[in-house]
Amino acid sequence: MPVQITFFLVIGILFGYYFDFNTTNILFALVGFLFVLGFIYLKTNTSYSSSLYFNFIVYLISFFIGISSISIKNELNNPNHYSHFLDDDNKVVLIVEKTLKPNQYQDKYEVSVIQLDKHSVIGKVLLNVKKDSFLFLNIGDKIYVKSEFQEVNHPKNPYGFNYKEYLKKQNVHHQLFVSNNEIHHLSKRKFSLNRIAFNIRESINNSLKANGFKGDELAVMNALLLGQRQDISSELIQSYSGAGAIHILAVSGLHIGIILLILNFVFKPIEKLPKGKLFKAILVVSFLWIFAFVAGMSASVIRAVTMFTAVAIGMQVNRPTNVYNTLVISMFFLLLFNPYFLFDVGFQLSYLAVFAIVWIQPLLSGLWKPKWKLVNYFWQLLTVSIAAQFGVVPISLYYFHQFPGLFFISNLVVIPVLGIILIGGVLVIILSTLNALPIFIAKGYNYSIYLMNITIDWVAQQEEFLIKDISFSILLVISFYTLIVMSVRLFESFNSSRLIWFLISIIILQVVFIYEKGNKLTKEEFIVFHKNRFSMIGKNSKNRLNVFHNLDSISLSKDKIITQYQIGGGTKTPKFYNKLPNVFEFDTKKILVIDSLGIYNVDGFTPEIIILQQSPRINLNRLIDLIKPKLIVVDGSNYKSYMNRWKETCVQKNTPFYYTGQNGALIIRKQTENYISNFGLNDF
């Protein structure tokens, strides 16, 4: 029953997120189904498990709870949300809630809006502060700014990371851009749990720095022990990702499980006291949640601590708990608390990995029973690692498009060391805050993290074992998980029914492969990419992509636009031409490109689309009168002042105007006889 109820809750959350529902109507429907449920139960006068109607109504209720929970959690539905009071000149009072990873030009913070002009409001925004001084904001600071709320942009090019959608799933819908001299500090919030946790972390960090911890070693300690990854360098993150050990840097079930074992061992003597087991359970659970609080109550920490709270209670009351039910129940309450967790990549990876370990690892470990304890220990680690990969590989390929072939080496090395590092880290933190940390312990612990980092870096450098740029669609994810489930079920118990389902899953996977390959071979697109200061045009025909550009070799090697298109679209390795033709033809459409020289010849040539590149000095008014194009396209290589002037001309001439810097890359697709751009311009 818990599995089915949680399944329908998930379906309801997905419906509530992707479709608009009236919250009031959903709540009325929910109350109605609850009355029906009570009526059926009283009428049948039997156990609910024996009533098909009862179960059906329970599943419906769970479905509508999912819809209503995400509707309620969506702050845009709250009449006090700041978005309902926006104007062109906003005076805003903010409270800093979270420090985010900065970029090269700006420090970034997640802040709550508590006052907009004279209105008391709610809501979160992304605050971008220009790096123009040494002034930093701390969690809990109350500040006043005068700034314009800006929407987060959609990705400018196809298959690019959709930061707007990512923030939407965090209930963040706008951003502010300010300089430090535009920030006015108000009195700090009188009471803030986030600030208390931040102060504790800052105190720990200061004591660690005073004892010689710095650089990557300090950053890894912050990630492993305090749940803070902001200071980890991009190079180190890339190394852990390439080695298949990126999960080590995020506090997850693995870390909490080790901490639970440590706490269980430390408090074991308490069991001898009267009601000692109950007191021990309270202490263990309390310390787990204190750790979650200090670690910032991130999604990964909350889900892991919630799951292991149930496990800890089960361990102390001596009642064998069904692990599947424990996982499912923890998932249910987490999603009920915050349905947006469902869209968190870490949430998905964590639960898939744990489910796979619980289900698949015993089957794998049973294939061989080593006689030597040490060999058996490493065999168990290997089977755990392989089982986890079965759970996460399809979804990892979908999100990250790479597969670390040496993942088992990373896990065999890191997982045993991780337990030592966590135990040692707790000791180091306690001693450092008490100013009683011996130098030899500090240096030894620092060196152990250094060794772990260089080991991971060595594994990541074996690039021949790292498969990159894998195109993987959501249909492939579903079909691969179907195959994995049916394969494991067949391995558990071989019978004709399970064999049939296994064969059906293979057929489904083949059908998906054939369908997607057919789509790639029939896809034809003409793309004007957006690239600041440069021009890039692509023609994709029958899974072959030709790219025309004016980038130098260094800029091209670092550019990710074409790589993202190649992975997302599943095209073959593109062919590059370091020259931009002045004329293109896409099926029957003729396209004229005018570059910085401003030279064009249209004698006997009637282009329907004109692409302006590199700020040509032309009289667009006269050009439109001469050619009468159906669309003017301006890419990112042009000056904005030119773009604004051309836009005004097009408005006066009633000619469609398209700027890639505002609308994103222009994509013209061929579908039978129609040409459809990415932004709805049909036949222009």
Side-chain angles (χ1 to χ4, degrees):
M1 179 68 80
V3 174
Q4 294 91 326
I5 290 176
T6 304
F7 173 78
F8 281 99
L9 178 76
V10 168
I11 298 299
I13 290 171
L14 292 173
F15 265 78
Y17 182 80
Y18 290 106
F19 301 99
D20 290 328
F21 292 94
N22 185 288
T23 306
T24 304
N25 293 341
I26 293 296
L27 291 175
F28 273 120
L30 190 57
V31 171
F33 280 121
L34 285 172
F35 276 112
V36 173
L37 183 69
F39 175 77
I40 293 175
Y41 178 75
L42 293 174
K43 188 173 182 180
T44 56
N45 198 28
T46 58
S47 173
Y48 68 86
S49 60
S50 63
S51 172
L52 178 64
Y53 296 109
F54 190 95
N55 289 348
F56 178 72
I57 296 298
V58 167
Y59 300 152
L60 271 181
I61 289 174
S62 183
F63 173 76
F64 279 101
I65 286 176
I67 296 177
S68 60
S69 65
I70 197 164
S71 298
I72 293 171
K73 197 69 177 180
N74 184 356
E75 294 180 349
L76 288 177
N77 295 329
N78 191 313
N80 292 323
H81 193 261
Y82 70 83
S83 60
H84 305 306
F85 304 96
L86 293 179
D87 54 36
D88 295 333
D89 187 20
N90 300 290
K91 302 179 181 69
V92 195
V93 177
L94 310 167
I95 291 179
V96 180
E97 301 289 355
K98 190 184 298 183
T99 303
L100 305 177
K101 192 175 183 68
N103 60 25
Q104 186 177 355
Y105 306 104
Q106 295 154 333
D107 292 315
K108 292 178 177 288
Y109 305 90
E110 182 182 294
V111 297
S112 292
V113 186
I114 61 171
Q115 185 174 332
L116 182 64
D117 296 328
K118 297 180 180 180
H119 305 283
S120 295
V121 295
I122 65 165
K124 296 184 295 185
V125 297
L126 178 66
L127 179 66
N128 301 276
V129 182
K130 186 178 179 182
K131 288 184 175 180
D132 55 4
S133 76
F134 294 101
L135 177 65
F136 297 99
L137 296 176
N138 294 320
I139 292 176
D141 285 355
K142 183 187 288 188
I143 60 175
Y144 165 82
V145 300
K146 186 176 180 182
S147 180
E148 179 185 356
F149 283 73
Q150 298 183 26
E151 290 193 3
V152 183
N153 293 325
H154 287 284
K156 292 290 193 298
N157 291 290
Y159 308 112
F161 176 65
N162 195 333
Y163 193 47
K164 182 183 180 72
E165 186 67 18
Y166 170 79
L167 289 178
K168 178 183 175 183
K169 291 170 182 174
Q170 316 297 316
N171 250 323
V172 177
H173 302 279
H174 291 86
Q175 57 184 337
L176 302 172
F177 291 88
V178 297
S179 300
N180 277 316
N181 57 11
E182 297 175 311
I183 296 175
H184 304 279
H185 284 263
L186 305 175
S187 60
K188 291 183 173 66
R189 218 173 355 173
K190 291 183 179 180
F191 179 77
S192 168
L193 289 175
N194 285 340
R195 186 172 184 85
I196 293 172
F198 172 78
N199 288 337
I200 293 173
R201 291 195 299 269
E202 282 294 290
S203 176
I204 292 172
N205 261 292
N206 291 334
S207 64
L208 290 174
K209 290 175 182 177
N211 283 278
F213 291 94
K214 58 183 179 180
D216 285 340
E217 288 72 36
L218 179 60
V220 169
M221 286 188 70
N222 270 288
L224 294 179
L225 299 165
L226 301 177
Q228 306 300 306
R229 297 175 56 181
Q230 298 95 324
D231 297 326
I232 299 180
S233 64
S234 56
E235 293 80 10
L236 190 61
I237 288 178
Q238 187 61 40
S239 293
Y240 273 80
S241 178
I246 190 66
H247 58 284
I248 299 298
L249 296 179
V251 176
S252 61
L254 175 63
H255 303 69
I256 303 301
I258 293 173
I259 292 172
L260 174 61
L261 293 176
I262 296 171
L263 292 172
N264 198 50
F265 174 77
V266 170
F267 294 128
K268 192 169 183 62
I270 297 177
E271 292 182 359
K272 297 178 181 179
L273 300 174
K275 296 186 179 180
K277 288 189 176 181
L278 175 61
F279 187 47
K280 177 186 173 184
I282 294 172
L283 280 175
V284 169
V285 171
S286 299
F287 272 93
L288 286 178
W289 282 102
I290 288 172
F291 174 80
F293 169 70
V294 174
M297 298 293 283
S298 66
S300 62
V301 175
I302 290 175
R303 63 173 171 264
V305 172
T306 301
M307 182 171 61
F308 280 97
T309 294
V311 174
I313 294 172
M315 289 170 62
Q316 304 312 319
V317 299
N318 288 331
R319 291 183 181 177
T321 58
N322 184 312
V323 180
Y324 296 106
N325 285 341
T326 300
L327 290 172
V328 169
I329 291 170
S330 69
M331 180 189 293
F332 179 87
F333 283 106
L334 279 172
L335 293 178
L336 203 58
F337 168 71
N338 186 355
Y340 284 99
F341 281 166
L342 181 63
F343 305 101
D344 184 87
V345 178
F347 179 92
Q348 298 168 16
L349 291 173
S350 179
Y351 271 99
L352 287 168
V354 175
F355 273 116
I357 290 171
V358 170
W359 185 27
I360 300 175
Q361 192 272 339
L363 300 176
L364 295 177
S365 65
L367 295 175
W368 182 40
K369 298 291 183 181
K371 295 180 180 180
W372 299 92
K373 287 186 177 180
L374 183 62
V375 175
N376 184 60
Y377 173 74
F378 282 102
W379 169 244
Q380 296 300 321
L381 282 179
L382 180 62
T383 55
V384 166
S385 182
I386 294 174
Q389 289 299 319
F390 272 112
V392 302
V393 161
I395 199 75
S396 295
L397 292 178
Y398 175 71
Y399 285 119
F400 308 118
H401 309 292
Q402 65 179 28
F403 177 74
L406 297 180
F407 69 89
F408 57 93
I409 294 180
S410 303
N411 287 295
L412 285 176
V413 173
V414 171
I415 291 178
V417 175
L418 182 62
I420 299 172
I421 287 178
L422 286 175
I423 295 171
V426 173
L427 178 64
V428 165
I429 286 176
I430 292 173
L431 293 176
S432 67
T433 52
L434 295 175
N435 294 320
L437 180 63
I439 295 176
F440 75 93
I441 292 180
K443 288 185 176 180
Y445 186 77
N446 194 69
Y447 189 66
S448 66
I449 295 179
Y450 170 76
L451 286 178
M452 183 176 73
N453 287 345
I454 63 172
T455 302
I456 291 295
D457 186 59
W458 178 85
V459 174
Q461 286 179 13
Q462 313 309 308
E463 295 187 357
E464 60 270 24
F465 295 99
L466 179 61
I467 307 172
K468 297 182 178 180
D469 301 341
I470 303 171
S471 179
F472 216 77
S473 69
I474 191 65
L475 283 177
L476 283 175
V477 171
I478 295 171
S479 57
F480 261 100
Y481 274 123
T482 303
L483 178 61
I484 290 171
V485 170
M486 296 307 163
S487 300
V488 176
R489 283 173 54 82
L490 183 64
F491 185 78
E492 281 181 321
S493 175
F494 188 92
N495 58 50
S496 57
S497 175
R498 294 191 176 191
L499 177 61
I500 290 172
W501 280 110
F502 170 71
L503 295 175
I504 289 174
S505 67
I506 293 177
I507 293 172
I508 291 173
L509 183 60
Q510 290 176 328
V511 169
V512 171
F513 268 119
I514 294 171
Y515 168 76
E516 295 203 341
K517 186 175 181 180
N519 274 350
K520 293 171 187 175
L521 291 175
T522 56
K523 179 193 279 188
E524 293 197 27
E525 291 183 338
F526 180 89
I527 315 103
V528 181
F529 295 100
H530 177 76
K531 177 72 176 174
N532 287 330
R533 299 185 295 111
F534 295 99
S535 295
M536 298 177 70
I537 293 177
K539 285 185 71 175
N540 182 12
S541 179
K542 298 180 180 179
N543 207 30
R544 296 186 181 276
L545 178 64
N546 293 323
V547 181
F548 306 88
H549 66 93
N550 62 355
L551 281 76
D552 56 71
S553 57
I554 296 177
S555 299
L556 185 63
S557 64
K558 295 180 179 179
D559 194 83
K560 296 181 179 180
I561 293 174
I562 301 303
T563 303
Q564 290 170 343
Y565 181 87
Q566 180 188 351
I567 295 172
T571 62
K572 295 180 180 179
T573 303
K575 190 171 183 180
F576 293 94
Y577 298 89
N578 193 12
K579 184 180 179 181
L580 286 157
N582 292 111
V583 175
F584 285 96
E585 188 169 345
F586 185 69
D587 198 50
T588 59
K589 303 288 183 182
K590 294 181 175 60
I591 303 168
L592 173 65
V593 178
I594 303 178
D595 58 22
S596 59
L597 298 177
I599 299 173
Y600 57 90
N601 185 0
V602 291
D603 290 341
F605 173 62
T606 309
E608 296 173 82
I609 304 170
I610 295 176
I611 301 175
L612 302 177
Q613 298 177 343
Q614 303 161 50
S615 306
R617 295 184 178 181
I618 59 170
N619 188 322
L620 186 60
N621 196 44
R622 186 167 56 198
L623 180 64
I624 292 175
D625 288 338
L626 177 65
I627 300 177
K628 296 181 174 56
K630 294 183 178 179
L631 180 68
I632 299 292
V633 181
V634 177
D635 71 6
S637 66
N638 297 280
Y639 296 132
K640 284 192 176 181
S641 58
Y642 283 38
M643 182 274 297
N644 291 328
R645 187 171 69 246
W646 293 333
K647 184 176 181 179
E648 292 178 4
T649 301
C650 287
V651 170
Q652 294 171 1
K653 291 291 186 179
N654 199 26
T655 300
F657 178 84
Y658 194 99
Y659 174 47
T660 60
Q662 180 178 355
N663 305 110
L666 176 73
I667 303 177
I668 307 171
R669 295 190 179 104
K670 179 183 177 183
Q671 296 179 353
T672 61
E673 296 180 354
N674 293 322
Y675 297 85
I676 306 173
S677 92
N678 197 39
F679 299 90
L681 296 172
N682 296 336
D683 290 328
F684 310 109

